Amino acid sequence: QACTLPTAPTLLPARGLRQHPAPLWAMAPPGAAHPNFSFGGLLIAGGAYGFYKGSTISLIAGAGSGGLLVGSGLMVEHDPQAAFMLGSGVGGLLTAGMLPRFLKTKKMMPTGAVALLGALTLAYNGFQLSRWWDPDTLPFRAKS
């Protein structure tokens, strides 16, 4: 029998779940993951620029929140509900942390930009989560 590369997994029609997930290198991530990659990349770049300007906390916050968003983008194919929950949480924390500072200082950079990016992240991931929401698959749900 010849050795072949794994093929793309087939989708189950009822829920869109994959029967046999392919390795990460075998397929490009789904389109729903790309905004999280973009938002995460912008946050990492902003944190690096803030570090270049002398702010260590910008690097920590930008790399941390950006890394979580990139991680949620990688999770979309295998567990979309958890991925969009993570993305919604990161977006909510960014918005909650930076919007009050923006309203106080009225400075667009960096507080306004990060608050806007957080709100966009929260809106996108919240919308996607509403499409994938299935409370029966939550790990902390009590089984009766």
Side-chain angles (χ1 to χ4, degrees):
Q1 189 175 23
C3 180
T4 61
L5 289 174
T7 59
T10 58
L11 295 177
L12 295 173
R15 297 243 343 197
L17 297 177
R18 299 185 179 281
Q19 289 179 343
H20 51 82
L24 285 177
W25 55 265
M27 294 179 53
H34 292 179
N36 282 353
F37 291 141
S38 299
F39 296 148
L42 286 171
L43 288 167
I44 292 169
Y49 182 73
F51 181 72
Y52 171 75
K53 292 296 232 175
S55 173
T56 304
I57 194 69
S58 292
L59 178 65
I60 294 168
S65 58
L68 286 172
L69 283 175
V70 169
S72 75
L74 292 172
M75 289 171 52
V76 166
E77 185 175 359
H78 301 289
D79 189 358
Q81 182 170 314
F84 294 126
M85 285 175 66
L86 176 60
S88 296
V90 171
L93 287 173
L94 287 171
T95 305
M98 294 306 261
L99 187 59
R101 293 179 186 171
F102 171 68
L103 295 174
K104 181 179 177 183
T105 64
K106 303 286 192 255
K107 291 184 179 180
M108 190 59 193
M109 289 303 286
T111 56
V114 175
L116 178 64
L117 195 61
L120 289 172
T121 302
L122 177 60
Y124 174 75
N125 283 282
F127 170 72
Q128 289 293 337
L129 183 58
S130 72
R131 294 175 64 205
W132 285 96
W133 185 252
D134 183 12
D136 293 333
T137 62
L138 295 174
F140 49 83
R141 180 178 164 86
K143 306 290 184 208
S144 54

